[in-house]
Amino acid sequence: MRAANDAAVIRESRDVPERFGAIFDAYFAEIHAYVERRIGPENASDVAAETFLAAFRKRDRYEPARASVRTWLYGFATNLVGKHRRGEVRALRAMDRIAGDAGSIAGDAGSEELEARIAAEGLRGRLAGALAALSAGDRDVVLLVALAELSHEEVAAALDIPYGTVGSRLNRARRKLREALGGTNPLLDLEEHDG
Amino acid sequence: MDEIQMVRDLYDRPAPVPAHKVAAARARLDRLSRPSRRRLFGGSRLLPFGLGLAAAATAVTLTVLSAGTGPEVETGQDSGRRLLLAAAEKTGHQPQPNGRYWHVRIQVSDLLLFGTQSNPYWIKTHDRLEYWMARDPEKPGWDLTQHLGAEPASPADAAAWRRAGSPSPFENKRLPDFHAAVTPGPGKATLEQSDPSLEILTGRPFSLRQVFALPTRSDELEATIRDYLSRQAEHNGEDPPDDARIFDFGSELLVRAPLTPQVRAATYRMLAGLHGVKKAGAAKDEAGRWGTAIAIGGGTDKDGNHVPQFRLIIDPSTGQALADQTVVQKSDTKVPAKPGAAFTSFTMLESGWTDTAPK
């Protein structure tokens, strides 16, 4: 219902451009949250705003049959996030480094609770480091699934890549993340390769 | 092990976006999406309810000018230049800054598309926009906005409106989940204190202080404006300004900014030097005053999109700028618009320095 309404608004906005404001009002907060998590608060507002400007300019090319407006917006947002890739990777690496430093003093922590927390921190750091090490395309797929909670089909539409590519990128990325976390299961990997 | 869930947990849920950042982002979209330039002030402020409503309903509106609707004659370009250069010579009686406030009263007129998809009609609306900008940049000013009234734009539109059952107020039922109504009679005036750094031009942060700093040589003025608009365009992710944008900016300055006679003359000379400026014939502004329209732009761009034409109506006898308008020559909507129609007109009714604040 919402998707049909959104598509109608896009259609109307071709004749009445101001109508596009309704799309902004409905999705800005969500897109901003996605962008901010990826590239941090400093540039998030700019990139989120640019997402809607880009979508507005391309509104004539929106095809409701291919993607919902929400999915379509995530495509623009992800492309624009790509311009800030270095910042994103730097932040993830920093997270890894800070967690690593914490891990090195874990033995001296003195309390079990603190040690557990530091260990969890270390895990987070390794995960961040592994995310930073992914190729940009693989990271986009992982984060559209994890943060935007898009389905494989929606990720394919958002990034304009084949459905099968989404699956293979996601499998590759999951394997790398799992390796980084120390939980590699070769059998599981084999299974997923078939899928 | 669910790596996806772990990745999700890795990222903290961000705090809500501060309202001013949302407003700034929305304003950037609005600058792009609102063909009507009716917003007197910049994008960072919200419109009074009635105005926002009307702006949201604006598609393509028309103000039929009394002349200049046909193809331009060959001499249009030269005579346009001559007229602007002559206006530059008429230094007029622009007062020097000698009051506490720069006061401007403007009438904004647009045509809004109303009715239903099968029975559309154009309604012409009029709003009063008045502002007092404090000369002292530390002091606040005042804005006054008021809906003045609305009527069917032509006898044919009046007939369509009657077919719809003569709804009053005028109602827009073209779009689902969107109901706009415009009253035929005047509404209440709203007076608000305004930000001291408020912009003087439409949707652009351009303050009185910047107006006072404008150079008096036309080439330097053009460079200043081009540089300013380029930075704005870059920030908004828009194309760099073309000559039509420069013209539009210069027109707004002439219509509503407190220019010294030197800067005013330089502005006219700058307009005369722009590519594609032409005389568009005699024209009557929304206040019923006759003048001559100078125009730039129009036609279609390389993608086939309609490009609006900007017009400045000046009184050739005094060099006074009366109104600036954005004109469509061909409608982008399914509803036919008459050639030579303006979707927004800003008509200057009164301007000058004063010591008297409205409150």
Side-chain angles (χ1 to χ4, degrees), chain B residues 41-42 44-45 100-102 131-143 192-201 204-212 353:
Chain B
F41 301 110
S44 60
R45 67 206 331 269
R100 284 164 56 215
Y101 297 97
W102 173 247
Y131 57 85
W132 289 258
M133 294 183 82
R135 181 147 58 103
D136 179 346
E138 304 303 316
K139 297 248 166 67
W142 296 90
D143 311 340
E192 285 176 296
Q193 200 162 41
S194 65
D195 197 297
S197 63
L198 206 59
E199 43 263 49
I200 193 164
L201 304 174
R204 300 188 186 101
F206 205 80
S207 65
L208 269 190
R209 199 189 286 219
Q210 283 168 293
V211 170
F212 294 147
W353 289 96

Short mmCIF file of all heavy atoms in Angstrom, two decimals, chain B residues 41-42 44-45 100-102 131-143 192-201 204-212 353:
data_model
loop_
_atom_site.label_atom_id
_atom_site.label_comp_id
_atom_site.label_asym_id
_atom_site.label_seq_id
_atom_site.Cartn_x
_atom_site.Cartn_y
_atom_site.Cartn_z
N PHE B 41 11.90 34.59 1.35
CA PHE B 41 13.12 34.41 2.11
C PHE B 41 13.68 33.04 1.86
O PHE B 41 13.14 32.26 1.10
CB PHE B 41 12.84 34.64 3.59
CG PHE B 41 12.31 36.00 3.86
CD1 PHE B 41 11.01 36.19 4.25
CD2 PHE B 41 13.12 37.11 3.66
CE1 PHE B 41 10.52 37.46 4.49
CE2 PHE B 41 12.64 38.38 3.90
CZ PHE B 41 11.34 38.55 4.32
N GLY B 42 14.75 32.74 2.54
CA GLY B 42 15.49 31.53 2.23
C GLY B 42 14.81 30.25 2.64
O GLY B 42 13.80 30.25 3.30
N SER B 44 15.63 28.08 4.71
CA SER B 44 15.75 27.56 6.06
C SER B 44 14.55 27.92 6.92
O SER B 44 14.44 27.47 8.03
CB SER B 44 17.03 28.08 6.71
OG SER B 44 16.98 29.49 6.75
N ARG B 45 13.67 28.72 6.39
CA ARG B 45 12.52 29.05 7.22
C ARG B 45 11.25 28.46 6.61
O ARG B 45 11.13 28.29 5.42
CB ARG B 45 12.40 30.55 7.39
CG ARG B 45 12.08 31.29 6.14
CD ARG B 45 12.58 32.71 6.18
NE ARG B 45 12.65 33.26 7.49
CZ ARG B 45 11.65 33.93 8.06
NH1 ARG B 45 10.52 34.11 7.46
NH2 ARG B 45 11.80 34.44 9.26
N ARG B 100 16.25 53.01 9.88
CA ARG B 100 16.65 51.81 10.62
C ARG B 100 16.29 50.53 9.88
O ARG B 100 16.89 49.49 10.10
CB ARG B 100 15.99 51.80 12.01
CG ARG B 100 16.67 52.77 12.98
CD ARG B 100 15.78 53.03 14.19
NE ARG B 100 15.41 51.79 14.87
CZ ARG B 100 14.22 51.59 15.46
NH1 ARG B 100 13.30 52.53 15.42
NH2 ARG B 100 13.96 50.45 16.05
N TYR B 101 15.26 50.60 9.02
CA TYR B 101 14.82 49.39 8.33
C TYR B 101 14.71 49.63 6.82
O TYR B 101 14.27 50.70 6.39
CB TYR B 101 13.41 48.97 8.81
CG TYR B 101 13.36 48.61 10.26
CD1 TYR B 101 12.95 49.55 11.20
CD2 TYR B 101 13.71 47.33 10.69
CE1 TYR B 101 12.88 49.22 12.54
CE2 TYR B 101 13.65 46.99 12.02
CZ TYR B 101 13.24 47.94 12.95
OH TYR B 101 13.19 47.62 14.27
N TRP B 102 15.06 48.62 6.07
CA TRP B 102 14.74 48.59 4.63
C TRP B 102 13.38 47.91 4.53
O TRP B 102 13.22 46.75 4.92
CB TRP B 102 15.80 47.84 3.84
CG TRP B 102 15.43 47.64 2.40
CD1 TRP B 102 15.14 46.46 1.77
CD2 TRP B 102 15.32 48.66 1.39
NE1 TRP B 102 14.84 46.67 0.45
CE2 TRP B 102 14.95 48.02 0.18
CE3 TRP B 102 15.48 50.05 1.38
CZ2 TRP B 102 14.74 48.71 -1.02
CZ3 TRP B 102 15.28 50.74 0.19
CH2 TRP B 102 14.92 50.08 -0.98
N TYR B 131 8.44 43.10 4.21
CA TYR B 131 9.46 42.88 5.22
C TYR B 131 10.20 44.15 5.58
O TYR B 131 10.30 45.08 4.78
CB TYR B 131 10.43 41.77 4.84
CG TYR B 131 11.16 41.92 3.53
CD1 TYR B 131 12.34 42.66 3.45
CD2 TYR B 131 10.70 41.29 2.39
CE1 TYR B 131 13.03 42.77 2.26
CE2 TYR B 131 11.38 41.40 1.19
CZ TYR B 131 12.54 42.15 1.13
OH TYR B 131 13.21 42.26 -0.05
N TRP B 132 10.66 44.15 6.80
CA TRP B 132 11.46 45.24 7.33
C TRP B 132 12.79 44.61 7.75
O TRP B 132 12.82 43.81 8.68
CB TRP B 132 10.79 45.84 8.57
CG TRP B 132 9.55 46.63 8.29
CD1 TRP B 132 9.43 47.98 8.24
CD2 TRP B 132 8.23 46.11 8.07
NE1 TRP B 132 8.13 48.34 7.99
CE2 TRP B 132 7.37 47.21 7.86
CE3 TRP B 132 7.68 44.83 7.98
CZ2 TRP B 132 6.00 47.07 7.61
CZ3 TRP B 132 6.33 44.67 7.72
CH2 TRP B 132 5.51 45.79 7.53
N MET B 133 13.84 44.94 7.05
CA MET B 133 15.14 44.36 7.40
C MET B 133 15.95 45.41 8.13
O MET B 133 16.14 46.52 7.62
CB MET B 133 15.89 43.94 6.14
CG MET B 133 15.20 42.81 5.41
SD MET B 133 16.18 42.32 4.00
CE MET B 133 17.37 41.26 4.80
N ALA B 134 16.42 45.04 9.31
CA ALA B 134 17.17 46.01 10.11
C ALA B 134 18.51 46.30 9.46
O ALA B 134 19.20 45.39 9.01
CB ALA B 134 17.36 45.47 11.52
N ARG B 135 18.86 47.58 9.38
CA ARG B 135 20.16 47.95 8.81
C ARG B 135 21.28 47.44 9.69
O ARG B 135 22.32 47.00 9.21
CB ARG B 135 20.25 49.47 8.67
CG ARG B 135 21.54 49.95 8.07
CD ARG B 135 21.33 51.20 7.25
NE ARG B 135 20.76 52.26 8.06
CZ ARG B 135 21.45 53.29 8.53
NH1 ARG B 135 22.74 53.39 8.26
NH2 ARG B 135 20.88 54.21 9.24
N ASP B 136 21.04 47.48 10.98
CA ASP B 136 22.01 46.94 11.92
C ASP B 136 21.92 45.41 11.89
O ASP B 136 20.89 44.84 12.27
CB ASP B 136 21.66 47.46 13.32
CG ASP B 136 22.60 46.92 14.40
OD1 ASP B 136 23.34 45.95 14.10
OD2 ASP B 136 22.58 47.45 15.51
N PRO B 137 22.98 44.74 11.41
CA PRO B 137 22.88 43.29 11.24
C PRO B 137 22.68 42.52 12.54
O PRO B 137 22.38 41.34 12.51
CB PRO B 137 24.20 42.92 10.56
CG PRO B 137 25.12 44.05 10.80
CD PRO B 137 24.28 45.28 11.03
N GLU B 138 22.85 43.20 13.67
CA GLU B 138 22.62 42.52 14.95
C GLU B 138 21.16 42.55 15.37
O GLU B 138 20.76 41.87 16.31
CB GLU B 138 23.47 43.17 16.06
CG GLU B 138 24.96 43.22 15.78
CD GLU B 138 25.54 41.84 15.53
OE1 GLU B 138 25.19 40.92 16.29
OE2 GLU B 138 26.32 41.68 14.57
N LYS B 139 20.37 43.39 14.71
CA LYS B 139 18.99 43.59 15.15
C LYS B 139 18.02 42.76 14.32
O LYS B 139 18.22 42.59 13.12
CB LYS B 139 18.63 45.08 15.01
CG LYS B 139 19.46 46.00 15.88
CD LYS B 139 18.60 46.61 16.98
CE LYS B 139 19.46 47.26 18.05
NZ LYS B 139 20.19 48.43 17.56
N PRO B 140 16.96 42.28 14.94
CA PRO B 140 15.97 41.52 14.17
C PRO B 140 15.10 42.43 13.31
O PRO B 140 15.01 43.64 13.56
CB PRO B 140 15.12 40.85 15.26
CG PRO B 140 15.25 41.74 16.44
CD PRO B 140 16.62 42.38 16.35
N GLY B 141 14.48 41.85 12.31
CA GLY B 141 13.54 42.58 11.48
C GLY B 141 12.16 41.96 11.60
O GLY B 141 11.88 41.21 12.55
N TRP B 142 11.31 42.29 10.65
CA TRP B 142 9.93 41.79 10.67
C TRP B 142 9.51 41.31 9.28
O TRP B 142 9.91 41.89 8.28
CB TRP B 142 8.98 42.90 11.11
CG TRP B 142 9.21 43.38 12.50
CD1 TRP B 142 10.04 44.40 12.89
CD2 TRP B 142 8.63 42.84 13.68
NE1 TRP B 142 10.02 44.53 14.25
CE2 TRP B 142 9.15 43.59 14.77
CE3 TRP B 142 7.72 41.80 13.94
CZ2 TRP B 142 8.80 43.33 16.09
CZ3 TRP B 142 7.37 41.56 15.26
CH2 TRP B 142 7.90 42.31 16.32
N ASP B 143 8.68 40.27 9.28
CA ASP B 143 8.03 39.83 8.03
C ASP B 143 6.52 39.88 8.22
O ASP B 143 6.04 39.48 9.27
CB ASP B 143 8.25 38.35 7.71
CG ASP B 143 9.67 37.91 7.81
OD1 ASP B 143 10.53 38.77 7.76
OD2 ASP B 143 9.86 36.68 7.93
N GLU B 192 5.72 38.42 11.87
CA GLU B 192 6.68 37.62 12.63
C GLU B 192 8.00 38.37 12.70
O GLU B 192 8.42 39.00 11.73
CB GLU B 192 6.96 36.30 11.92
CG GLU B 192 5.88 35.27 12.03
CD GLU B 192 6.27 34.05 11.21
OE1 GLU B 192 6.37 34.16 9.98
OE2 GLU B 192 6.47 33.00 11.82
N GLN B 193 8.65 38.20 13.82
CA GLN B 193 9.99 38.76 13.91
C GLN B 193 10.92 37.89 13.07
O GLN B 193 10.77 36.67 13.05
CB GLN B 193 10.44 38.74 15.36
CG GLN B 193 11.57 39.72 15.61
CD GLN B 193 11.71 40.04 17.08
OE1 GLN B 193 11.60 39.17 17.91
NE2 GLN B 193 11.94 41.29 17.38
N SER B 194 11.83 38.52 12.36
CA SER B 194 12.67 37.73 11.47
C SER B 194 14.12 37.75 11.94
O SER B 194 14.55 38.63 12.69
CB SER B 194 12.57 38.26 10.04
OG SER B 194 13.09 39.56 9.96
N ASP B 195 14.82 36.80 11.46
CA ASP B 195 16.21 36.61 11.78
C ASP B 195 17.03 37.81 11.29
O ASP B 195 16.82 38.28 10.19
CB ASP B 195 16.65 35.35 11.02
CG ASP B 195 17.93 34.81 11.54
OD1 ASP B 195 18.93 35.54 11.43
OD2 ASP B 195 17.93 33.68 12.04
N PRO B 196 17.96 38.31 12.09
CA PRO B 196 18.74 39.47 11.63
C PRO B 196 19.59 39.17 10.39
O PRO B 196 19.87 40.06 9.61
CB PRO B 196 19.61 39.81 12.83
CG PRO B 196 19.57 38.65 13.73
CD PRO B 196 18.29 37.92 13.46
N SER B 197 19.98 37.92 10.24
CA SER B 197 20.85 37.61 9.11
C SER B 197 20.04 37.17 7.90
O SER B 197 20.55 36.57 6.97
CB SER B 197 21.81 36.48 9.50
OG SER B 197 21.07 35.32 9.80
N LEU B 198 18.76 37.46 7.93
CA LEU B 198 17.87 36.95 6.91
C LEU B 198 18.25 37.39 5.50
O LEU B 198 18.70 38.51 5.29
CB LEU B 198 16.47 37.45 7.21
CG LEU B 198 15.39 36.56 6.66
CD1 LEU B 198 15.53 35.17 7.25
CD2 LEU B 198 14.06 37.14 7.02
N GLU B 199 18.02 36.53 4.58
CA GLU B 199 18.35 36.84 3.20
C GLU B 199 17.30 37.77 2.58
O GLU B 199 16.14 37.74 2.94
CB GLU B 199 18.46 35.58 2.37
CG GLU B 199 17.38 34.59 2.64
CD GLU B 199 17.83 33.52 3.64
OE1 GLU B 199 18.37 33.86 4.69
OE2 GLU B 199 17.62 32.36 3.31
N ILE B 200 17.75 38.53 1.66
CA ILE B 200 16.86 39.50 1.04
C ILE B 200 16.27 38.94 -0.25
O ILE B 200 15.23 39.36 -0.72
CB ILE B 200 17.62 40.83 0.78
CG1 ILE B 200 16.63 41.94 0.43
CG2 ILE B 200 18.67 40.67 -0.30
CD1 ILE B 200 17.25 43.30 0.54
N LEU B 201 16.95 37.96 -0.82
CA LEU B 201 16.50 37.42 -2.11
C LEU B 201 15.84 36.07 -1.92
O LEU B 201 15.91 35.47 -0.87
CB LEU B 201 17.69 37.30 -3.06
CG LEU B 201 18.44 38.61 -3.28
CD1 LEU B 201 19.67 38.36 -4.12
CD2 LEU B 201 17.56 39.64 -3.94
N ARG B 204 17.89 32.42 -1.16
CA ARG B 204 19.35 32.45 -1.15
C ARG B 204 19.81 33.27 0.04
O ARG B 204 19.27 34.33 0.30
CB ARG B 204 19.89 33.11 -2.42
CG ARG B 204 19.49 32.42 -3.69
CD ARG B 204 20.24 33.05 -4.84
NE ARG B 204 19.78 32.53 -6.11
CZ ARG B 204 18.94 33.16 -6.90
NH1 ARG B 204 18.48 34.34 -6.56
NH2 ARG B 204 18.57 32.62 -8.04
N PRO B 205 20.79 32.75 0.75
CA PRO B 205 21.28 33.53 1.87
C PRO B 205 22.08 34.73 1.39
O PRO B 205 23.27 34.63 1.11
CB PRO B 205 22.16 32.53 2.64
CG PRO B 205 22.53 31.49 1.65
CD PRO B 205 21.49 31.49 0.59
N PHE B 206 21.43 35.83 1.24
CA PHE B 206 22.09 37.04 0.79
C PHE B 206 21.58 38.17 1.66
O PHE B 206 20.41 38.54 1.60
CB PHE B 206 21.77 37.28 -0.69
CG PHE B 206 22.80 38.11 -1.41
CD1 PHE B 206 23.97 37.53 -1.86
CD2 PHE B 206 22.59 39.47 -1.62
CE1 PHE B 206 24.93 38.28 -2.52
CE2 PHE B 206 23.56 40.22 -2.27
CZ PHE B 206 24.72 39.63 -2.73
N SER B 207 22.46 38.70 2.48
CA SER B 207 22.01 39.64 3.51
C SER B 207 22.17 41.08 3.05
O SER B 207 22.80 41.36 2.04
CB SER B 207 22.85 39.42 4.77
OG SER B 207 24.19 39.76 4.48
N LEU B 208 21.61 41.99 3.81
CA LEU B 208 21.77 43.42 3.54
C LEU B 208 23.26 43.79 3.50
O LEU B 208 23.70 44.57 2.67
CB LEU B 208 21.10 44.25 4.62
CG LEU B 208 19.64 44.66 4.43
CD1 LEU B 208 19.25 45.66 5.50
CD2 LEU B 208 19.41 45.26 3.05
N ARG B 209 24.00 43.19 4.40
CA ARG B 209 25.44 43.48 4.45
C ARG B 209 26.09 43.14 3.10
O ARG B 209 26.94 43.88 2.61
CB ARG B 209 26.07 42.66 5.56
CG ARG B 209 27.41 43.18 6.03
CD ARG B 209 28.03 42.19 6.97
NE ARG B 209 27.36 42.22 8.27
CZ ARG B 209 28.02 42.11 9.42
NH1 ARG B 209 29.32 41.97 9.42
NH2 ARG B 209 27.38 42.13 10.56
N GLN B 210 25.68 42.01 2.53
CA GLN B 210 26.22 41.63 1.22
C GLN B 210 25.76 42.59 0.12
O GLN B 210 26.49 42.89 -0.81
CB GLN B 210 25.82 40.19 0.87
CG GLN B 210 26.64 39.16 1.63
CD GLN B 210 26.04 37.77 1.50
OE1 GLN B 210 24.96 37.51 2.01
NE2 GLN B 210 26.74 36.90 0.81
N VAL B 211 24.52 43.07 0.24
CA VAL B 211 24.02 44.05 -0.74
C VAL B 211 24.88 45.30 -0.69
O VAL B 211 25.30 45.84 -1.72
CB VAL B 211 22.54 44.39 -0.47
CG1 VAL B 211 22.09 45.57 -1.32
CG2 VAL B 211 21.65 43.18 -0.73
N PHE B 212 25.19 45.74 0.54
CA PHE B 212 25.98 46.97 0.68
C PHE B 212 27.40 46.80 0.13
O PHE B 212 28.05 47.77 -0.23
CB PHE B 212 26.07 47.39 2.16
CG PHE B 212 24.75 47.80 2.74
CD1 PHE B 212 24.45 47.56 4.08
CD2 PHE B 212 23.79 48.43 1.95
CE1 PHE B 212 23.23 47.94 4.61
CE2 PHE B 212 22.56 48.81 2.48
CZ PHE B 212 22.28 48.56 3.81
N TRP B 353 13.63 53.24 2.87
CA TRP B 353 14.15 53.18 4.22
C TRP B 353 13.17 53.85 5.17
O TRP B 353 12.53 54.83 4.82
CB TRP B 353 15.50 53.88 4.31
CG TRP B 353 16.58 53.10 3.62
CD1 TRP B 353 17.03 53.29 2.35
CD2 TRP B 353 17.30 52.01 4.15
NE1 TRP B 353 18.00 52.37 2.05
CE2 TRP B 353 18.20 51.56 3.15
CE3 TRP B 353 17.30 51.34 5.37
CZ2 TRP B 353 19.07 50.50 3.34
CZ3 TRP B 353 18.16 50.29 5.58
CH2 TRP B 353 19.04 49.88 4.55
#
